[in-house]
Amino acid sequence: MKKTDSSSEATHKGMTSFITKKNMIAGAGLVLIAVLIFMYFTYWSTPGEKVSKVLKHYVERADKALMHDSLETALQLYFQAIDIDGRQTTLYGKIAEGYYLAAERHKQENNTAMYNSMLSQSIYYMNIGLSKDPANPYFLYNAGLLALGRKQNDSALTEMAAAAAQGVKAFYLHLFLSDLYNEKEETALCLEQLLAAHELGPDDPRVLFNLGEVYYRIGNFSRALKFHTRLVELFPESYEYKAIYAATLWKNGSENKARNLFNQMLQDPNVQQLQRHHVVAWTLIDRDVDYAWGVRVAHVTADTKQDITSLDILGWGYYKIGDYRKSVQYFSLAYDMKPGAEVKRRLEMARAKLQNTGS
C-alpha cells in the first residue's frame, strides 16, 4: 500500500510537472502569436502603398519638425522613414522640400556655398523621386519651390496650385500659395490656402497673423479677432500683436475696451517711450482706427525732429486725414534724414495728392 501511494504521488508530481511545462510552452506560444499579430498590424497589415504605423510616426514627426523650421531634425526623420520603406516616393519630395528650405535659409545668411550645396541636394532628391514615380504630384510642388527660388512667381503658382489640386497637403505649400495669391490680390484663394495651412499648423504665428490680416482687410472683424486673440494668448509680451488685437477689438465694436488697452500700452513703464508710441500711433493710423489720436501720439516723439520713424508715421497720418501739405512736410523730413524706397513712394503719393487737391 505504501509503495502504491509513493508511486501514485510520483506519478502526480510528474503529471504536474508535465502540465506546468505544457502551460509554459502554451504561454510562450501565445506570446509569440501576440508578437506576430503586433508585427503584422504594425508592418504588414496595410496593403499597397499605405504607410505602416512606424513609418507614419516618423513622417508625422518629420512634418512637424519641418513646419517649426527644425530642418536638420526633419531631414533625419525623413531619411529614417526611407530606410523603413524606400518605395514611398513622396518621402523623396519631402526631403527635397527640406533641402530647399535649408538653401533659402543660407541665402538669407548670404552663405552662397551652403546655399548652392543645399539647392543641389534638393534637386538631386527630387530627381530620384521623379525617376521612381513621375506622376507623383508632390514633385509639382518641388518644381514650384525651385521656380519660387528663381523669383518666377507665375510658374511657381501654376506648379503649386496643380499640386494642391491633386491632393498634396503640406504646410509650406499652402503658406507659399497664400502669399502668391495675396500678391495677385486673389483674396478668396489666399484665404482658402491659409485655412488649409491653419489646419496643419493651428498655432503657427505666421498663419494666425495672416488669417487675421485677411479677415481684417475684408471687414470681417469678428473672424479677425479670433486669430488676433490667439496670437496675444501665445505671445503676451508682443507689443505689436497686442496693438493689432486692440485695433480689431475697436473695429469689432468694443471701442472702450480697445481704448483702455491702447492707453495701458502708452503708459507701460516696462517699455521704452519711443517703442510704445511708435507701435500705438502706427496701429491707430494704418489700421484706420483713429487718425487724430494716432497723430497726437506720434507728435510726442517727433517734435524733436530727430526721430525718423515718428516723422514717417506723421506723414502717413496726415495723408490719411487728407492734409497732404503736412503729409509732404513730414515725409520730406523723414526722407532727408534717411532716404528709403518706401518713404519715397509715400512722399510721391502725398505730392501727387497735394498737386491734385491743392491742400
Side-chain angles (χ1 to χ4, degrees):
M1 293 292 292
K2 287 182 181 179
K3 288 182 179 179
T4 304
D5 290 344
S6 175
S7 176
S8 176
E9 184 179 349
T11 303
H12 176 71
K13 287 182 178 179
M15 287 295 292
T16 302
S17 176
F18 175 76
I19 291 170
T20 302
K21 288 178 181 177
K22 188 175 180 181
N23 288 343
M24 289 175 65
I25 293 170
L30 289 172
V31 170
L32 179 60
I33 290 169
V35 170
L36 289 172
I37 290 172
F38 171 77
M39 294 288 285
Y40 174 80
F41 281 108
T42 302
Y43 295 99
W44 306 301
S45 62
T46 48
E49 291 296 312
K50 290 186 70 178
V51 296
S52 69
K53 291 181 180 179
V54 172
L55 182 64
K56 183 179 179 182
H57 176 65
Y58 276 115
V59 173
E60 286 177 348
R61 286 174 58 200
D63 288 346
K64 188 175 292 186
L66 193 73
M67 186 176 66
H68 293 147
D69 293 328
S70 300
L71 303 182
E72 289 183 11
T73 300
L75 286 168
Q76 287 174 1
L77 289 165
Y78 286 138
F79 279 120
Q80 287 176 296
I82 276 184
D83 287 341
I84 294 172
D85 188 353
R87 297 170 301 170
Q88 304 297 322
T89 53
T90 295
L91 291 172
Y92 293 96
K94 289 176 179 285
I95 289 171
E97 177 187 7
Y99 276 120
Y100 171 84
L101 295 172
E104 287 299 303
R105 178 185 291 177
H106 288 298
K107 181 194 283 188
Q108 292 171 7
E109 297 169 353
N110 296 317
N111 190 334
T112 304
M114 286 301 295
Y115 166 75
N116 289 331
S117 175
M118 295 296 101
L119 193 62
S120 295
Q121 289 290 87
S122 178
I123 295 170
Y124 173 75
Y125 283 101
M126 182 182 78
N127 287 335
I128 289 178
L130 278 169
S131 69
K132 292 176 177 290
D133 184 6
N136 189 322
Y138 211 95
F139 302 116
L140 292 171
Y141 169 37
N142 290 144
L145 287 174
L146 295 175
L148 192 65
R150 295 190 296 266
K151 300 188 184 302
Q152 298 170 347
N153 289 2
D154 287 342
S155 295
L157 178 58
T158 299
E159 300 284 6
M160 291 187 189
Q166 292 185 49
V168 176
K169 290 184 178 296
F171 177 78
Y172 278 105
L173 167 65
H174 299 306
L175 197 61
F176 288 139
L177 267 176
S178 70
D179 286 341
L180 290 167
Y181 282 128
N182 185 55
E183 286 179 5
K184 290 185 170 294
E185 298 183 356
E186 296 186 39
T187 303
L189 292 172
C190 171
L191 190 56
E192 178 184 326
Q193 294 303 320
L194 282 172
L195 290 170
H198 181 254
E199 186 177 337
L200 296 172
D203 281 338
D204 185 272
R206 294 162 294 188
V207 176
L208 291 170
F209 178 82
N210 289 338
L211 277 169
E213 291 301 279
V214 172
Y215 281 120
Y216 193 99
R217 190 169 69 224
I218 64 177
N220 190 338
F221 301 115
S222 62
R223 290 286 290 170
L225 187 60
K226 170 188 172 183
F227 298 107
H228 290 158
T229 299
R230 186 58 182 153
L231 272 177
V232 172
E233 290 172 352
L234 292 171
F235 305 96
E237 301 303 316
S238 171
Y239 237 57
E240 287 77 11
Y241 290 159
K242 194 178 295 183
I244 291 170
Y245 166 69
T248 312
L249 273 175
W250 188 306
K251 288 289 192 175
N252 197 46
S254 300
E255 181 178 332
N256 289 336
K257 185 177 179 181
R259 189 181 292 275
N260 288 337
L261 183 53
F262 278 127
N263 280 322
Q264 289 171 19
M265 293 177 67
L266 287 171
Q267 296 162 17
D268 189 346
N270 298 314
V271 180
Q272 289 184 349
Q273 184 192 46
L274 204 60
Q275 180 188 354
R276 59 184 190 245
H277 277 70
H278 284 170
V279 171
V280 171
W282 179 257
T283 303
L284 288 168
I285 292 166
D286 192 56
R287 291 181 177 270
D288 304 318
V289 176
D290 189 323
Y291 303 141
W293 189 14
V295 165
R296 289 198 302 273
V297 172
H299 267 297
V300 172
T301 49
D303 285 342
T304 61
K305 300 294 189 292
Q306 294 178 352
D307 177 35
I308 183 174
T309 302
S310 294
L311 295 173
D312 188 21
I313 293 171
L314 280 169
W316 192 231
Y318 281 116
Y319 182 91
K320 291 269 189 165
I321 288 172
D323 189 336
Y324 302 117
R325 192 173 301 281
K326 283 189 175 180
S327 178
V328 169
Q329 174 191 339
Y330 283 104
F331 276 138
S332 296
L333 285 168
Y335 187 76
D336 289 343
M337 287 179 65
K338 187 177 180 179
E342 185 59 22
V343 177
K344 182 180 180 182
R345 183 181 71 83
R346 292 186 180 183
L347 174 58
E348 290 172 351
M349 286 170 55
R351 281 175 174 164
K353 288 284 188 179
L354 178 59
Q355 185 175 357
N356 291 333
T357 64
S359 61

